[in-house]
Amino acid sequence: MANRLISEMGLPKSIANVFAARSIKTAKDALSLTEFDLMELADMGLAEVTSALVHISERVSPPYQTALSLLEQRNRNEQLAGHLPTGLKGLDEALFGGIPFGVITELVGPAGIGKTQFCLKLSLLASLPMRHGGLDGQVIYIDMESKFSSKRLIEIGAQSFPEIFHMRGMAQEMAGRILVLRPVSLAEFTESLQQIKILLLERRVKLLVIDSMAALASGEFEHGASKINPLGWHISFLKSVAELSRIPIVVTNQVRSQSNDDTWRYNFQVGTRRQDLEDTPKYDSHLIAALGIHWSHAVTIRLILETISGERFIKVAKSPMSPALAFPFSITSSGISLLNDDGIEVVGQEISTIHCHGHSEIIGSDSLQFHG
C-alpha cells in the first residue's frame, strides 16, 4: 500500500501535478516528509498539505475492524471449516456444531470414565453415510491401551442406528471402515504416524483417534526417558496433519496427581460427596491433565470427563469460542447419552478442575456391562 501511486489516489489534479513535478510519486514519498518539509518542497500552504496527507493516509491505511467483526469472521471461518457432530445435542450446540475439523480435540478423564466409549461413537459417526448424518469416510484409530472393542462398536452402532446396522452386511461394512493400529512403544507410534501420511492420501480418512497419548508418555518414563517434551515432534506432526488435511483429530488423555512427593503418579482416588458443581472440596484439586503445559497448548478443544458424587459430567474446559459448560451424562448400550442438553455454567477454577467423586462406584457398576 505504501508504494501506491499518488496519481491513482484521486487528489485534485493541481496538487497531483505539483507532487509529480517534485518527484513525489508514491504514498511513501509523501508520508515520509513532515508537513513543513512538504510545504517548502511543493510551495503549498499548510491547509493544502494537511488535506493532501490526510487523503493519502486514508487511501493507504488498512481498514479497521471492531472486536465484533473479528468475532463474526471467526464464527464464519469455524462454520466453513466443518464439524463432526457428536450426536449429543447440548454439547454440539456448545461447540457450534460438534468436534471441529482442522484442530486437536482432547478428552481428559480418569480410567473408565467413558473416553473410549466416546471415541467409538465418534468413529461410527465419521464412517456413516452422509444421508444418515455421517462423514462417509474411513477412520484411523490408534489404540495404545488395547481398549478398542469391535463387539462394543457394533453394539453401539446397532443401538444408535438400527435402521443402518440391521441391513444385511452393513455392520461389517461400517466396522471395515475403521482402521485400527496398535503400536506398543513410542518408536512404533512414530512409525504409525508416518503410515498416516500415506493413508490420508490413499483413503477417504475423515477422523483420526489416538487412545491414549498419556499411555505413550508414561511408558517412556518407566524406561528412564526424559520427561521434557517426550512427544514434542509428535505434537507438531499431529497439529500439521489436522491443519493440512482438515480432519478432526481426537486424542484421549489421562489425569495425574500433582503432589510434591510424586508428581507423575496417576491418581483415581475418591472422596466425600458434594452438594453441587460449584461447591468444590479441596482434596482433589491436585488432579490435572497429564502430559503437561506444552501438550495443553497444542490442544484447541479440551473436554473433561469427570464424576461428582457418583454422577458423570462432560465439561467444555477449553475452547476458543464455546462457553464453559458441564453436561451430566450416562453410558448406555448406545454409548454416551446426555441427561440434560442445557448444561451447567462453570466459572473460575472449576473450569479446569477435575473431579473423581464416587468414581469407583460407577466404574464398578459399569464393569458389568461396558468397558472404557
Side-chain angles (χ1 to χ4, degrees):
M1 297 293 285
N3 293 321
R4 187 174 173 184
L5 296 175
I6 295 289
S7 59
E8 299 175 353
M9 294 190 183
L11 284 172
K13 191 172 183 179
S14 58
I15 296 179
N17 289 338
V18 171
F19 280 7
R22 302 299 189 274
S23 297
I24 304 173
K25 299 179 180 180
T26 67
K28 183 178 180 180
D29 295 337
L31 297 176
S32 297
L33 300 171
T34 67
E35 292 176 333
F36 294 105
D37 289 338
L38 198 55
M39 287 171 60
E40 182 177 352
L41 182 62
D43 192 21
M44 298 169 57
L46 178 60
E48 287 181 301
V49 166
T50 301
S51 176
L53 291 177
V54 169
H55 183 88
I56 294 170
S57 297
E58 289 176 347
R59 294 298 185 277
V60 299
S61 297
Y64 68 85
Q65 288 182 287
T66 66
L68 177 60
S69 66
L70 289 172
L71 178 62
E72 291 173 342
Q73 180 180 356
R74 185 157 193 170
N75 280 334
R76 287 193 298 271
N77 291 339
E78 287 288 329
Q79 293 171 357
L80 290 173
H83 296 79
L84 169 60
T86 66
L88 307 175
K89 181 181 176 183
L91 182 61
D92 284 340
E93 290 178 353
L95 295 175
F96 295 93
I99 306 298
F101 293 177
V103 300
I104 299 176
T105 296
E106 177 191 41
L107 308 178
V108 181
I113 190 66
K115 302 186 298 294
T116 298
Q117 303 285 332
F118 201 167
C119 290
L120 292 176
K121 186 67 170 285
L122 290 175
S123 298
L124 284 170
L125 289 166
S127 62
L128 282 178
M130 289 186 179
R131 64 181 181 276
H132 294 287
L135 300 181
D136 196 24
Q138 294 192 334
V139 177
I140 299 175
Y141 197 114
I142 301 181
D143 181 24
M144 295 301 306
E145 298 180 301
S146 298
K147 290 184 177 181
F148 182 90
S149 169
S150 299
K151 182 179 179 181
R152 178 63 175 139
L153 179 79
I154 298 300
E155 179 186 20
I156 293 174
Q159 294 295 323
S160 302
F161 314 103
E163 70 282 5
I164 301 175
F165 276 73
H166 289 165
M167 295 173 59
R168 186 179 182 85
M170 188 57 70
Q172 290 77 7
E173 181 180 342
M174 292 296 99
R177 294 184 178 187
I178 300 173
L179 313 175
V180 181
L181 303 176
R182 282 182 168 162
V184 296
S185 67
L186 189 59
E188 288 191 13
F189 176 65
T190 304
E191 293 179 5
S192 296
L193 293 183
Q194 298 293 351
Q195 292 180 42
I196 288 173
K197 285 183 178 180
I198 300 174
L199 292 172
L200 287 173
L201 295 174
E202 294 180 344
R203 303 172 184 266
R204 286 172 46 83
V205 176
K206 294 302 178 79
L207 173 66
L208 170 61
V209 175
I210 303 175
D211 186 13
S212 76
M213 287 291 286
L216 285 165
S218 60
E220 291 300 302
F221 297 155
E222 289 173 2
H223 290 86
S226 171
K227 296 180 183 179
I228 302 176
N229 296 337
L231 302 174
W233 178 87
H234 307 79
I235 293 170
S236 299
F237 180 89
L238 290 173
K239 287 192 67 176
S240 66
V241 167
E243 293 170 0
L244 294 176
S245 63
R246 304 308 300 172
I247 65 170
I249 294 182
V250 176
V251 178
T252 68
N253 192 6
Q254 300 170 1
V255 296
R256 65 178 176 85
S257 171
Q258 192 180 35
S259 58
N260 292 330
D261 58 340
D262 193 3
T263 303
W264 292 90
R265 178 171 59 88
Y266 292 99
N267 189 324
F268 307 122
Q269 295 176 339
V270 298
T272 57
R273 295 177 62 84
R274 47 164 275 176
Q275 297 300 314
D276 55 66
L277 197 60
E278 289 75 29
D279 182 17
T280 308
K282 296 180 180 179
Y283 92 95
D284 70 349
S285 61
H286 63 286
L287 290 180
I288 61 174
L291 299 181
I293 296 297
H294 185 62
W295 165 254
S296 67
H297 287 330
V299 171
T300 300
I301 306 292
R302 169 171 282 177
L303 303 178
I304 292 177
L305 285 73
E306 60 183 358
T307 53
I308 300 173
S309 298
E311 185 176 13
R312 285 183 170 95
F313 286 86
I314 183 168
K315 178 167 59 181
V316 181
K318 180 183 179 183
S319 169
M321 300 298 298
S322 306
L325 294 173
F327 300 88
F329 74 92
S330 63
I331 297 179
T332 67
S333 59
S334 62
I336 286 182
S337 299
L338 295 186
L339 302 178
N340 189 328
D341 287 322
D342 295 333
I344 303 168
E345 184 179 1
V346 185
V347 297
Q349 293 183 349
E350 191 68 17
I351 295 175
S352 58
T353 300
I354 303 174
H355 300 288
C356 292
H357 296 185
H359 185 60
S360 60
E361 286 84 348
I362 64 170
I363 297 307
S365 63
D366 285 347
S367 64
L368 301 176
Q369 306 176 66
F370 316 117
H371 301 283

